[in-house]
Amino acid sequence: EVQLVESGGGLVQPGESLRLSCAASGFTFSSYWMYWVRQAPGKGLVWVSRISGDGSSTSYADSVKGRFTISRDNAKNTQYLQMNSLRAEDTAVYYCATSYSTIVAAPGGWGQGTLVTVSS
Amino acid sequence: QSALTQPASVSGSPGQSITISCTGTSSDVGSYNLVSWYQHHPGKAPKLMIYEGSQRPSAVSNRFSGSKSGNTASLTISGLQAEDEADYYCCSYAGRSTYVFGTGTTVTVI
């Protein structure tokens, strides 16, 4: 069974940094694409970033490009989201997700999310 | 990267069928057969209901089906049940390794 557990969320001030982690189990982590998706309070889901199984390919939403960095450690079955220069509009629940399969790239398994609040 | 357009809410009676639309552009929905649909109960993890436009994971009820025509994808829920009350989101591949979600639809069983 796919299990994804996010951690690292919290309250930070505008301009500060935060690193989210997502610990994975129940599947061959290195063979799957991984995602970050966020949901601001009262708003819808928004795709943030994606990373390939070997970490060589990454992509970002325009709203976070240049500020956020996605990475993964396949030896630890963990992916990360380094968030710099945080803004109030980055306040959201951040979900970690894995591709449905090694062939189907669509986000399939999801974690419960971790809340990031950016406020002074 | 503009969000795909979904109706804010759709409602139906138990046993009825409802359809949720998801309208994008020729750069996303219209260009790829890579639309997925998610059911999201607030406070819980989203659940994949449909992938690649019309494919259903084995654990998902066959009451859920997906289709696409041009720049619009659709999710149909037949035999509506109380447990289907949730928010539903479409998501499309948008090229250059990017994705875009829909604005979300709240389904109410009346």
Side-chain angles (χ1 to χ4, degrees):
Chain A
E1 180 190 0
V2 171
Q3 285 207 331
L4 299 169
V5 179
E6 303 94 337
S7 61
L11 172 64
V12 295
Q13 295 191 345
E16 293 187 338
S17 298
L18 203 61
R19 189 178 83 156
L20 305 182
S21 299
C22 171
S25 62
F27 61 103
T28 305
F29 182 71
S30 61
S31 297
Y32 285 68
W33 293 87
M34 295 297 295
Y35 298 82
W36 288 100
V37 176
R38 69 185 182 185
Q39 184 176 35
K43 304 294 185 180
L45 299 176
V46 175
W47 175 78
V48 173
S49 184
R50 184 181 84 163
I51 188 168
S52 61
D54 64 1
S56 63
S57 174
T58 60
S59 53
Y60 300 92
D62 288 344
S63 58
V64 307
K65 199 174 295 183
R67 299 188 299 123
F68 289 12
T69 302
I70 190 172
S71 62
R72 63 192 298 162
D73 185 338
N74 287 343
K76 295 182 178 180
N77 285 0
T78 301
Q79 76 154 345
Y80 305 97
L81 186 67
Q82 177 67 43
M83 305 185 293
N84 298 332
S85 303
L86 282 161
R87 307 166 180 168
E89 54 265 36
D90 295 318
T91 294
V93 172
Y94 284 74
Y95 293 98
C96 165
T98 179
S99 56
Y100 174 62
S101 73
T102 58
I103 299 173
V104 177
W110 295 67
Q112 296 283 341
T114 186
L115 176 63
V116 172
T117 304
V118 184
S119 175
S120 54
Chain B
Q1 293 180 343
S2 298
L4 308 175
T5 301
Q6 298 180 232
S9 62
V10 174
S11 61
S13 300
Q16 283 188 331
S17 292
I18 62 169
T19 297
I20 302 169
S21 61
C22 168
T23 301
T25 70
S26 57
S27 297
D28 38 61
V29 175
S31 286
Y32 309 97
N33 196 27
L34 293 174
V35 174
S36 49
W37 287 90
Y38 300 88
Q39 179 189 67
H40 190 203
H41 290 100
K44 295 197 167 186
K47 177 183 178 183
L48 176 66
M49 307 304 284
I50 296 289
Y51 64 93
E52 293 179 350
S54 61
Q55 302 304 303
R56 191 175 51 248
S58 57
V60 172
S61 170
N62 59 10
R63 297 185 298 105
F64 291 83
S65 61
S67 62
K68 191 189 89 166
S69 177
N71 295 338
T72 299
S74 299
L75 174 72
T76 297
I77 308 174
S78 59
L80 198 62
Q81 299 179 2
E83 68 204 50
D84 299 332
E85 275 206 351
D87 297 324
Y88 290 82
Y89 294 89
C90 59
C91 177
S92 176
Y93 181 71
R96 293 180 294 122
S97 298
T98 65
Y99 289 78
V100 59
F101 276 88
T103 50
T105 299
T106 298
V107 169
T108 303
V109 181
I110 55 177

